[in-house]
Amino acid sequence: MSTAPEGKTAEVAVIGGGPAGLVSAIALAAAGVDTLLIAPPAEDDHRTTALLAGSVTALATLGVWDACLPHAAPLVSIRLIDDTRRLLRAPEVTFAAAEIGLDTFGHNIENRHLIAALQGRAAQLNISRVAAPALAVASDHAGATVTLDDGLARVRLVVGADGQHSLCRAAAGIGTNRYAYPQNALTLNLRHGRPHQAAATEFHTEHGPFTLVPLPDRRSSLVCVLDPETAQDLNAMTGPALAEEIERRAHSLLGRMSVEPGRGLFPLTAESADSAARARIALVGEAAHVLPPIGAQGLNLGLRDGATIAEIVADVRRRNLDVGAPEVLARYNAQRRADVMSRTVAVDMLNRSLLTGFIPAQAMRGLSLYLVDRIDPLRRALMREGVAPTMSQPRLMRGEMV
Ligand SMILES: Cc1cc2nc3c(=O)[nH]c(=O)nc-3n(C[C@H](O)[C@H](O)[C@H](O)COP(=O)(O)OP(=O)(O)OC[C@H]3O[C@@H](n4cnc5c(N)ncnc54)[C@H](O)[C@@H]3O)c2cc1C
């Protein structure tokens, strides 16, 4: 392929060093693909990620999981509790990993530890890195050129992992469908008096879910979805006042609480790219899809994106073909579409069913959860699909190298 004047060359450039970009770069490099990672230093992220079983398997296969494990807490059960004060309330439902033959549904880990583990593995694999943002991307029939602040990089394929406001997506001319919910998520981590017993608890309120997810020791992460004003009010509280308010909202389930430093406030949006790939650019993670933080789907989808593009690139290379060719991008788009669409629709429906004041919709939600609670095969099928989607299990998620 042609070399950019005074520039860098690689087969694939991954743009963005969040978790989706780092996993993509590691999977590509582990498959022997000459990979350039273009990623400015990571910003502070106090959130946590519930990594479902397939994601944990992929990280273990890529040699990342050992560094995550000391910081991760297993999730052996998930409780859904209707905490609305409505007439038609849903029954409490508990999902247990043992019911589907698993020890855990997955593990919850602070993003800073996940990122550190991924960066450590990327360094071991000697992935070349530009620690500054990409300024522009342009594609032509033979390759793509990435403009950097000190020159150009020429590659066959760009993996756009540059998040919600993706430069790569714009460069590929891919539009999005975006919806802004009237909700904000307040995130923080807590220490508490009672053990969580490896159980995540999701209280469903009229304003959205209030979810406590285990961290190691007597600690949990909280994602509290509220209307924007209440979220601002809570965020403005002192640590002790906020801890008391959270304990009240958690019905003292985990005893006395104290709030750790580092809070986040996130407007809730859903956004889907019209296509996952075009013009030598394949989108992964939030560059391709943004979901509200319900049911721990967002990054798990992003990791499946990274695993899929790495698998396709490795396969195309074995056949000595162009890894950025239109048919490669079409294959990636086709393989990701159903997984992304089904999760986006399911999370959106669940969120809207909480917000709606429409009685038949509330009744439908209550009935669905009643059936899930009562019908064991239905509950097991739902759990299996939530943890490991039948329609998209890239090799890494099955414990095989790409
Ligand atoms: C409150 C909350 C809780 C969540 N909990 C979960 C959960 O439990 N489980 C789950 O699966 N998901 C969860 N998610 C979703 C998850 O956090 C996101 O899917 C994930 O962070 C997206 O990762 P990413 O790598 O795609 O994007 P990001 O983390 O946004 O990374 C994008 C990176 O690209 C870089 N970048 C941007 N522009 C450029 C450029 N021009 N050049 C180079 N680099 C660039 C940025 O600096 C950034 O580092 C949650 C989300 C929220 C809001």
Side-chain angles (χ1 to χ4, degrees):
M1 79 183 293
S2 55
T3 309
E6 298 169 30
K8 304 170 178 36
T9 56
E11 198 160 10
V12 179
V14 176
I15 300 184
L22 286 166
V23 163
S24 306
I26 292 168
L28 287 160
V33 180
D34 178 16
T35 304
L36 175 66
L37 176 63
I38 301 170
E43 286 167 20
D44 281 355
D45 185 348
H46 296 283
R47 284 174 299 172
T48 68
T49 297
L51 293 165
L52 300 174
S55 298
V56 172
T57 303
L59 293 175
T61 312
L62 292 172
V64 179
W65 187 244
D66 282 351
C68 294
L69 192 55
H71 308 288
L75 305 174
V76 301
S77 64
I78 299 171
R79 286 170 75 192
L80 306 185
I81 299 173
D82 189 332
D83 198 22
T84 63
R85 272 153 292 167
R86 290 179 175 143
L87 201 58
L88 296 171
R89 293 173 61 206
E92 181 176 325
V93 181
T94 300
F95 300 102
E99 273 191 84
I100 52 169
L102 294 176
D103 293 334
T104 67
F105 286 119
H107 286 69
N108 191 37
I109 183 170
E110 289 171 71
N111 287 8
R112 64 192 174 102
H113 291 305
L114 173 62
I115 293 281
L118 290 165
Q119 285 175 340
R121 184 68 183 129
Q124 281 171 358
L125 289 168
N126 283 324
I127 296 173
S128 32
R129 177 166 182 172
V130 173
L135 302 179
V137 180
S139 327
D140 54 60
H141 71 282
T145 303
V146 183
T147 307
L148 304 166
D149 63 0
D150 64 346
L152 302 174
R154 182 79 180 155
V155 296
R156 290 236 186 252
L157 173 73
V158 168
V159 173
D162 50 345
Q164 289 193 33
H165 310 290
S166 173
L167 170 96
C168 296
R169 193 176 63 219
I174 298 173
T176 64
N177 240 322
R178 185 171 188 278
Y179 180 79
Y181 297 93
Q183 294 163 297
N184 279 0
L186 173 67
T187 61
L188 49 88
N189 298 332
L190 298 154
R191 197 163 272 286
H192 39 78
R194 292 199 199 122
H196 47 55
Q197 291 169 327
T201 307
E202 191 162 298
F203 292 97
H204 289 171
T205 79
E206 290 92 340
H207 306 291
F210 170 102
T211 310
L212 291 158
V213 190
L215 283 170
D217 305 324
R218 290 190 180 190
R219 297 174 62 233
S220 293
S221 59
L222 171 72
V223 177
C224 177
V225 176
L226 297 158
D227 65 84
E229 296 88 72
T230 313
Q232 302 271 10
D233 290 348
L234 260 62
N235 196 28
M237 286 181 170
T238 61
L242 181 57
E244 218 169 282
E245 177 61 20
I246 293 168
E247 187 186 330
R248 188 184 68 75
R249 287 174 185 253
H251 303 280
S252 296
L253 183 79
L254 298 173
R256 291 302 300 272
M257 290 175 158
S258 60
V259 173
E260 296 184 351
R263 304 178 193 174
L265 204 53
F266 297 85
L268 252 60
T269 51
E271 188 165 14
S272 312
D274 299 339
S275 167
R278 188 180 294 154
R280 294 194 173 267
I281 298 171
L283 304 175
V284 302
E286 287 202 334
H289 43 71
V290 180
L291 271 65
I294 298 171
Q297 294 299 322
L299 184 57
N300 287 284
L301 266 181
L303 300 191
R304 292 201 287 278
D305 297 337
T308 303
I309 192 64
E311 183 175 316
I312 293 174
V313 166
D315 179 45
V316 170
R317 271 180 93 245
R318 275 181 220 114
R319 294 186 282 134
N320 272 328
L321 299 173
D322 175 2
V323 298
E327 50 279 17
V328 176
L329 300 188
R331 184 171 151 194
Y332 174 65
N333 191 34
Q335 284 195 20
R336 294 308 298 138
R337 181 172 293 276
D339 190 17
V340 171
M341 284 312 294
S342 62
R343 311 274 140 179
T344 307
V345 168
V347 168
D348 178 64
M349 275 173 57
L350 188 57
N351 193 28
R352 283 177 198 265
S353 74
L354 288 177
L355 294 180
T356 184
F358 186 52
I359 304 265
Q362 292 171 15
M364 185 56 80
R365 182 175 150 270
L367 176 66
S368 308
L369 285 171
Y370 173 81
L371 295 175
V372 167
D373 183 44
R374 290 301 162 99
I375 304 175
D376 293 354
L378 176 65
R379 194 172 57 253
R380 286 197 288 271
L382 205 66
M383 284 188 270
R384 282 201 195 93
E385 191 55 32
V387 173
T390 39
M391 65 186 68
S392 179
Q393 270 301 64
R395 283 206 283 269
L396 279 175
M397 276 62 197
R398 289 180 263 133
E400 298 161 30
M401 247 317 170
V402 296

